[in-house]
Amino acid sequence: MKRFYLIGFLLLMGFDTLAQISFKYAGTQALPVAASLEWVLRVFGQPWVYGAVIGYIGAFFTWMALLKHAPIGPAFAASHLEVVSVMLLSIWLFDEHLNTARVLGAIAIIAGIVCLGMAESREHVPENEPAPAEI
Amino acid sequence: MTPVAGSISSLVAGLWLLNIVLDTGGQLAFKAAAGDEDAGDGIARWKHMASRPWLWLGISCYVIEFLVWIAFLSLIPLSEGVLLGSINIVAIMVAGRFLFGEKLTRLRVTGILLVTLGVVIVGVGG
């Protein structure tokens, strides 16, 4: 069962990461930004936007499956920790640099997400959770 | 509404704020749709939700947010964008507190303050 959670969390992070990377590519290719139909058509006229759609849909169903079975705290944290994978990938894919502000900000945000995940875990004390042996 | 040079940062800020409103609005609408006590189970539950506005309001918010987020990310580095987007977590918790009376424990407040601090650091220092 532990392995089921772990695969679920990684899958969720993977879909979220795919979505963010695709959003960036899609947006960059549709520049300049304008509140116009032309911009929307440019966005949907190249393939990356569909990567974002796949990422969104995949993340949605993974999240729903996780919520049914996995403890809410770690699931919550896993659903937001894609900031780490996205940051690391954007150095490699988009030649971005991590300045001091981004690193410090990321550390504070990740610490905050972990606190919130722990808070969720504490509030949802498993009362009628099926024993792992049953599955 | 093509942005002119110099207005980029206010455009970015506007898209960021719009994203917070749409994301929080969407989540709250889904919460209202899913939390309906007399919705039943299985397919009946989905039919019940589809016949009421909350699910559709949530979906509409998410569709618009999808475009707003693409526009936002196309104007700033992705690593900065995802960090600034973390503020949505805070907005939803605060909204849950006021609209659904969800409790803010000490650990939650600590988490909210840390995420907010992180977003401020990134926002100010880039």
Side-chain angles (χ1 to χ4, degrees):
Chain A
M1 209 50 197
K2 269 233 167 84
R3 199 161 69 180
F4 168 82
Y5 295 155
L6 189 68
I7 292 171
F9 295 153
L10 288 176
L11 202 59
L12 182 59
M13 253 178 100
F15 277 125
D16 279 331
T17 308
L18 169 71
Q20 297 302 337
I21 301 280
S22 305
F23 276 132
K24 178 66 180 171
Y25 275 122
T28 309
Q29 291 187 11
L31 281 170
V33 171
S36 68
L37 186 64
E38 284 77 19
W39 177 76
V40 175
L41 290 177
R42 280 204 300 279
V43 166
F44 285 97
Q46 36 83 37
W48 279 106
V49 73
Y50 302 100
V53 172
I54 291 168
Y56 249 31
I57 292 173
F60 176 78
F61 284 105
T62 312
W63 174 242
M64 285 304 183
L66 273 176
L67 275 193
K68 231 177 190 162
H69 304 287
I72 179 79
F76 172 87
S79 74
H80 289 104
L81 286 179
E82 88 267 11
V83 289
V84 179
S85 47
V86 171
M87 272 181 81
L88 295 178
L89 278 172
S90 50
I91 301 172
W92 177 47
L93 293 174
F94 304 109
D95 283 322
E96 293 182 11
H97 302 280
L98 292 190
N99 52 34
T100 318
R102 273 179 221 167
V103 172
L104 286 179
I107 291 170
I109 289 168
I110 292 160
I113 290 170
V114 170
C115 281
L116 293 171
M118 280 161 57
E120 295 290 333
S121 291
R122 242 180 236 186
E123 271 164 43
H124 295 76
V125 182
E127 292 164 50
N128 44 15
E129 204 177 61
E134 288 173 23
I135 296 147
Chain B
M1 222 190 84
T2 312
V4 290
S7 71
I8 290 296
S9 64
S10 63
L11 178 63
V12 169
L15 289 169
W16 180 72
L17 284 173
L18 196 56
N19 177 258
I20 297 173
V21 172
L22 291 167
D23 193 68
T24 311
Q27 293 261 10
L28 293 174
F30 284 130
K31 165 86 182 168
D36 197 334
E37 295 284 331
D38 16 88
D41 258 317
I43 295 186
R45 179 159 179 260
W46 283 101
K47 275 188 179 160
H48 178 87
M49 288 196 292
S51 70
R52 320 191 77 233
W54 292 118
L55 182 69
W56 302 109
L57 179 67
I59 291 173
S60 308
C61 280
Y62 272 31
V63 169
I64 304 169
E65 183 192 354
F66 185 88
L67 292 169
V68 167
W69 188 244
I70 288 177
F72 175 72
L73 284 185
S74 70
L75 300 173
I76 58 166
L78 179 60
S79 48
E80 193 180 341
V82 288
L83 292 174
L84 293 176
S86 304
I87 199 67
N88 285 344
I89 305 169
V90 172
I92 287 177
M93 297 227 160
V94 173
R97 163 75 182 78
F98 285 110
L99 291 175
F100 296 103
E102 290 174 4
K103 263 184 273 170
L104 289 182
T105 57
R106 198 179 296 171
L107 199 53
R108 264 198 188 165
V109 173
T110 309
I112 286 173
L113 291 178
L114 279 169
V115 173
T116 310
L117 174 72
V119 171
V120 169
I121 293 173
V122 176
V124 171

